[in-house]
Amino acid sequence: MPDSESNLVSSHVDVINRTSVLSEMKISNGKRSVERRAVTQIGKNGYPDSIYINAAKIFQGIRTERSSGRVLVRYGDTSEPPVVAFKDEHSRRESYELAFRALKYQDLLEEMLLDSKVYPCYSIPDELTSLLVVMLCDLQDRKFEKRKVFAEEEPVAEVQEIGHYLYRYKTKLAAALARCRIKYDALSIEYFVPETISKQEQRTSAVPVCFWINTFKISLEDVVRDLEMKGFTKVESVSDFDHYTYAVDQHCHDVLVFPSSLREELLNLDLFADCKLLLQDKSRSLAVHSAHALLSEGGDIIMAHIGSHLTTAHMSVLTNDSSSRIFVCGVKSSAKEEELRNNFSHMGCENIWLLHEDFIELQPTDPRLEKAKVILLLPQCSELGAGNPMELILSEHSDAGLLRDLFQGFVSEDKLRILTERQLNELIHALKFNKVQAIVYCTCSVYPEENELVVKKALESGVEGDKRPYRLIPSIFSTCSNSESSTEMFFKIEPSEISSGCFLAVLEREKKVSAKDILASAAAKALLGDIVEEKPKEEVKKPKVKQRRRKAAASDSKPKAAKDLHHHTGANVKAEVPVSKAASKIQEKQVCPTKAGSNTPQKTAQGKKAASDTPQKTVQGKKAASDTPQKTAQGKKGASDTPQKTVQGKKAASNTSQKTVQGKKAASDTPQKNVRRTKAASNLSVPKAASTTQQKKVPRTDSCVELKKSVNPD
């Protein structure tokens, strides 16, 4: 009977062969294909001893703990976190995936051990119970077949002992599995997967996969041509997917989106093997594109976390056409540094600088970061909004404890508090960098505590590098799904079966903008509506002034000599003629711009001081300064080498200068010269008495009629 039960169980047990994605390893085409085949063989024949040991250590830290009244399987002391050493990236991934599978089926595996009487075993101490559960999980995956011996690695005594023990009782274990399935009427062992994990895996299997194009190695046009040759068809959006189809992402122009069913096929393409197409969660592409859009020419960028080297490489590709440098924080070991340099070199990235310090340890005044203008902050978060949280946790070397959160479908309050405190401290530290002009904060969390609340708390902290505070600005992407308001500054994508989740906040230092510029910008955008800027009073009176000017032009048959108002800008000598307020306004309206002549250029100055460096200037009832330059004023001022003054409309004449009224050219017997302001101050002196007489001869009046008479005495 046990043998028949074993055969029955073997025929119904689903084999879970999970091939690892080796997207983050520098491997040649031949080596990559060999290693991919090796991974497939490992799924059928077991794992090397070191992977079992590491998976057991990980499982010990993330397993579900029972209440004291329900403890039937004891796992030993878990007070200290286990120290895990991986041979390479491949073994690390295999260890984590095996540990997570054991976590998924923990209830079933424990029940199998207890029902078969395989546990407890007095020869196996409690400290090795985790190894027992992990190896039982793999034995069930292999349909209780014998494990292959890997000769290339030295065997581990504990692994060999437990492996032989489980295989000796494989029939009892298979029968226990069959009884569990009958008891719960389970068609497959997937029935024992918690509902939260089941829903997450269903969403993961449906979410389209995203690949960004490494333009260091290939152009978008060449990728499209290559895909078309392989039978792929380009469509407009993910809603149009039909197996061998793809679309360009709506937010990132260098990201291609494929149906999730093509994942394994795409990973076998030469485009992927040659690092021309890189598989990565879309949230990371959104983050690097946001940071790149804020980067000024020649400015550097600080990446606060090493995370996945693919994120850094993507930023390097986007900044290829500029002189920007990318500083990556937190590269602690020389082995990690060498690994990253090899990866970046293989992908064609050159403008990347690796820093050993964590971001929080960097000084804002660090001379290496003097040209840094943007900080990209991708803090460790709960990752529950990612399309494939497991893949993201593995690729970014996140905390193994997040696997427990993923299993539960939520993050405990203590864990969430630790994450948010760390995120807030990092964001506040980013605000202290004086030269930085913008910060991009991005997570894959679904919790407001890790998203909006962290950003708002940081902005309210008042900790900023200089007097100009930061403000939230919209990202370069349009407001996307499930956004509460179009005016919301945060960019959010809720996790769904067609997209992974993402939260993005862009902080920028406030710029000093004058009120005039603000009004001009608002007017250009048609935001002022019916609000019309109030016109100055002189513009309202303008038609009357034109009418008076026409009358004056009709009545005058001879040019009027203007009264010369000397204003010397020298150190000790000044002569000013006060003009009434009303008369000054009328004078400003009567001055007409004059064209520059060949020898005596003239300039129009509207109510301002005329400079002595330019030979001739038109003065509108204000002060003029010059030694010999001639000036044109509309019927007001006359000048000569020896100052001659007339009162209210009399002509001023001399041998050296004559002036015309209303834009006519001035004639002179002697050549006109440009005299600098300093010479005017030193060579020309006006007696105080003359200045006083000059002031007395100009009548003060607020009446426009009296002013008209003074201009046209005839």
Side-chain angles (χ1 to χ4, degrees):
M1 183 67 181
D3 291 338
S4 62
E5 286 183 350
S6 176
N7 295 334
L8 178 65
V9 171
S10 299
S11 63
H12 287 86
V13 174
D14 294 331
V15 180
I16 303 176
N17 294 323
R18 296 183 177 274
T19 58
S20 176
V21 179
L22 305 177
S23 60
E24 300 195 343
M25 302 182 65
K26 176 192 172 188
I27 306 172
S28 62
N29 295 348
K31 185 177 179 182
R32 182 179 292 274
S33 60
V34 170
E35 192 149 350
R36 186 176 290 114
R37 289 195 299 272
V39 173
T40 304
Q41 291 297 322
I42 286 175
K44 294 179 179 180
N45 300 313
Y47 300 92
D49 290 3
S50 61
I51 291 182
Y52 287 117
I53 292 293
N54 289 333
K57 291 179 179 179
I58 296 170
F59 176 74
Q60 178 79 348
I62 66 176
R63 65 180 176 81
T64 302
E65 297 184 5
R66 311 297 183 187
S67 60
S68 58
R70 296 181 54 201
V71 174
L72 299 176
V73 178
R74 302 182 182 278
Y75 288 90
D77 184 21
T78 59
S79 57
E80 295 184 2
V83 179
V84 185
F86 302 105
K87 178 182 177 181
D88 50 32
E89 179 66 18
H90 165 62
S91 64
R92 188 182 80 89
R93 283 178 168 271
E94 291 298 318
S95 300
Y96 271 94
E97 289 181 352
L98 179 56
F100 187 68
R101 286 208 304 277
L103 177 63
K104 284 170 52 179
Y105 302 111
Q106 180 180 344
D107 291 346
L108 174 63
L109 297 172
E110 288 180 353
E111 189 167 347
M112 288 171 60
L113 288 172
L114 294 171
D115 184 82
S116 63
K117 303 296 191 284
V118 172
Y119 182 88
C121 178
Y122 297 103
S123 63
I124 300 177
D126 291 346
E127 286 71 19
L128 293 180
T129 302
S130 293
L131 181 60
L132 180 68
V133 172
V134 165
M135 295 192 72
L136 174 59
C137 179
D138 179 57
L139 179 64
Q140 187 276 138
D141 285 347
R142 299 195 318 266
K143 297 182 180 180
F144 299 94
E145 296 292 332
K146 192 172 183 179
R147 182 171 69 98
K148 176 186 175 182
V149 177
F150 294 87
E152 68 274 8
E153 192 173 62
E154 184 178 353
V156 179
E158 293 85 354
V159 174
Q160 296 293 321
E161 180 184 352
I162 292 179
H164 291 311
Y165 177 75
L166 290 174
Y167 190 71
R168 190 189 321 155
Y169 293 101
K170 66 176 183 178
T171 303
K172 289 186 176 182
L173 291 169
L177 174 60
R179 284 191 293 270
C180 286
R181 292 178 58 182
I182 294 172
K183 177 181 178 180
Y184 295 102
D185 195 20
L187 297 177
S188 70
I189 61 172
E190 297 301 319
Y191 172 85
F192 300 97
V193 177
E195 185 178 0
T196 54
I197 291 297
S198 180
K199 289 182 178 179
Q200 175 64 49
E201 290 184 339
Q202 289 177 7
R203 188 173 71 85
T204 299
S205 63
V207 173
V209 291
C210 296
F211 290 80
W212 59 268
I213 301 171
N214 182 4
T215 53
F216 282 145
K217 290 181 171 289
I218 194 170
S219 65
L220 173 60
E221 293 75 14
D222 291 337
V223 170
V224 171
R225 189 181 305 111
D226 198 317
L227 291 174
E228 288 178 350
M229 292 176 61
K230 290 178 171 58
F232 287 85
T233 303
K234 182 180 177 182
V235 295
E236 291 299 322
S237 66
V238 296
S239 60
D240 301 324
F241 278 170
D242 183 18
H243 200 53
Y244 282 99
T245 53
Y246 72 95
V248 177
D249 183 69
Q250 61 175 328
H251 298 112
C252 306
H253 60 83
D254 61 344
V255 173
L256 301 182
V257 188
F258 296 84
S260 58
S261 59
L262 300 177
R263 177 189 176 100
E264 298 302 325
E265 247 182 283
L266 292 167
L267 295 179
N268 287 313
L269 293 178
D270 293 337
L271 289 173
F272 179 80
D274 297 335
C275 293
K276 296 175 181 177
L277 285 181
L278 288 309
L279 173 65
Q280 194 174 24
D281 191 86
K282 179 182 173 178
S283 63
R284 293 338 189 206
S285 296
L286 292 171
V288 296
H289 274 276
S290 296
H292 177 253
L294 298 165
L295 197 61
S296 58
E297 179 63 30
D300 298 336
I301 184 168
I302 301 174
M303 300 192 69
H305 302 87
I306 179 59
S308 170
H309 77 273
L310 294 177
T311 307
T312 307
H314 198 176
M315 179 60 71
S316 177
V317 170
L318 292 180
T319 57
N320 180 39
D321 296 333
S322 67
S323 59
S324 299
R325 296 175 298 174
I326 303 169
F327 291 93
V328 183
C329 305
V331 185
K332 294 293 185 181
S333 65
S334 56
K336 183 65 175 178
E337 181 177 353
E338 183 180 0
E339 176 190 349
L340 289 173
R341 292 192 186 281
N342 289 336
N343 287 330
F344 293 144
S345 176
H346 183 60
M347 298 172 70
C349 306
E350 298 179 352
N351 60 336
I352 300 172
W353 297 66
L354 304 178
L355 304 178
H356 296 292
E357 303 95 325
D358 287 331
F359 174 68
I360 204 73
E361 299 171 351
L362 285 177
Q363 295 297 322
T365 57
D366 193 318
R368 296 172 296 179
L369 310 175
E370 184 178 0
K371 294 183 179 180
K373 301 301 180 186
V374 178
I375 295 178
L376 177 56
L377 196 57
L378 293 166
Q380 186 182 79
C381 67
S382 57
E383 315 284 8
L384 294 182
N388 190 341
M390 181 70 178
E391 175 65 28
L392 197 61
I393 290 171
L394 290 175
S395 65
E396 300 196 351
H397 302 262
S398 298
D399 183 12
L402 294 175
L403 293 176
R404 186 194 301 114
D405 303 328
L406 179 61
F407 172 76
Q408 296 172 346
F410 65 91
V411 180
S412 65
E413 291 184 3
D414 292 340
K415 184 72 173 180
L416 188 61
R417 177 179 52 81
I418 294 172
L419 287 172
T420 54
E421 286 180 359
R422 185 183 305 160
Q423 293 157 359
L424 180 60
N425 290 336
E426 291 176 354
L427 185 52
I428 288 177
H429 186 65
L431 298 176
K432 298 177 182 178
F433 287 74
N434 291 341
K435 301 295 181 66
V436 171
Q437 300 300 313
I439 301 170
V440 175
Y441 178 86
C442 180
T443 75
C444 290
S445 174
V446 296
Y447 294 105
E449 291 86 347
E450 295 184 89
N451 299 334
E452 297 94 332
L453 296 182
V454 166
V455 176
K456 291 178 180 178
K457 287 179 181 179
L459 291 174
E460 293 170 357
S461 66
V463 180
E464 288 153 349
D466 61 11
K467 294 181 180 179
R468 288 186 295 128
Y470 277 93
R471 62 188 177 95
L472 281 169
I473 64 171
S475 70
I476 59 173
F477 312 114
S478 59
T479 304
C480 213
S481 60
N482 294 335
S483 243
E484 296 179 0
S485 172
S486 60
T487 60
E488 191 173 6
M489 291 296 182
F490 302 115
F491 175 82
K492 292 186 292 186
I493 300 179
E494 298 295 336
S496 65
E497 292 186 355
I498 62 172
S499 177
S500 59
C502 177
F503 171 84
L504 194 69
V506 180
L507 288 72
E508 187 180 53
R509 286 198 187 274
E510 291 186 357
K511 299 177 181 179
K512 296 179 180 179
V513 183
S514 65
K516 183 177 180 181
D517 293 336
I518 294 175
L519 289 175
S521 176
K525 296 178 181 180
L527 299 178
L528 294 180
D530 297 333
I531 302 176
V532 181
E533 187 177 0
E534 185 179 355
K535 295 182 179 180
K537 293 182 179 180
E538 52 267 28
E539 293 185 6
V540 178
K541 297 180 181 180
K542 192 170 183 179
K544 296 182 180 180
V545 174
K546 288 183 178 180
Q547 189 174 7
R548 290 172 185 161
R549 287 171 54 187
R550 286 195 295 267
K551 291 180 180 180
S555 61
D556 291 344
S557 59
K558 297 180 181 180
K560 305 292 183 181
K563 188 173 184 177
D564 188 14
L565 303 180
H566 294 278
H567 176 213
H568 303 283
T569 57
N572 300 320
V573 182
K574 291 185 179 180
E576 300 181 356
V577 179
V579 182
S580 66
K581 186 175 181 180
S584 175
K585 290 184 177 181
I586 300 300
Q587 286 175 330
E588 291 177 5
K589 297 172 186 177
Q590 290 180 336
V591 178
C592 298
T594 58
K595 295 184 180 180
S598 59
N599 295 324
T600 59
Q602 299 175 346
K603 296 184 179 180
T604 303
Q606 300 178 353
K608 303 294 182 179
K609 296 182 180 180
S612 61
D613 293 341
T614 308
Q616 295 180 347
K617 298 185 178 181
T618 302
V619 181
Q620 302 175 357
K622 295 294 182 179
K623 305 171 185 178
S626 173
D627 188 359
T628 60
Q630 302 177 355
K631 303 183 179 181
T632 303
Q634 298 173 359
K636 290 297 176 182
K637 305 171 188 176
S640 66
D641 292 339
T642 303
Q644 298 178 356
K645 303 178 178 58
T646 61
V647 180
Q648 301 180 354
K650 293 184 179 181
K651 299 180 182 179
S654 72
N655 295 329
T656 60
S657 65
Q658 292 180 347
K659 297 192 175 181
T660 63
V661 180
Q662 300 178 350
K664 295 185 177 180
K665 295 183 179 179
S668 176
D669 296 332
T670 60
Q672 302 172 358
K673 299 179 180 179
N674 293 331
V675 182
R676 295 184 178 275
R677 186 177 299 177
T678 54
K679 289 184 179 181
S682 60
N683 296 336
L684 181 62
S685 62
V686 180
K688 186 174 183 181
S691 176
T692 304
T693 305
Q694 199 173 18
Q695 295 179 6
K696 291 179 180 179
K697 290 183 179 181
V698 179
R700 292 180 176 271
T701 176
D702 293 332
S703 172
C704 295
V705 178
E706 292 180 7
L707 180 61
K708 180 178 179 181
K709 292 180 180 180
S710 65
V711 175
N712 301 306
D714 297 336

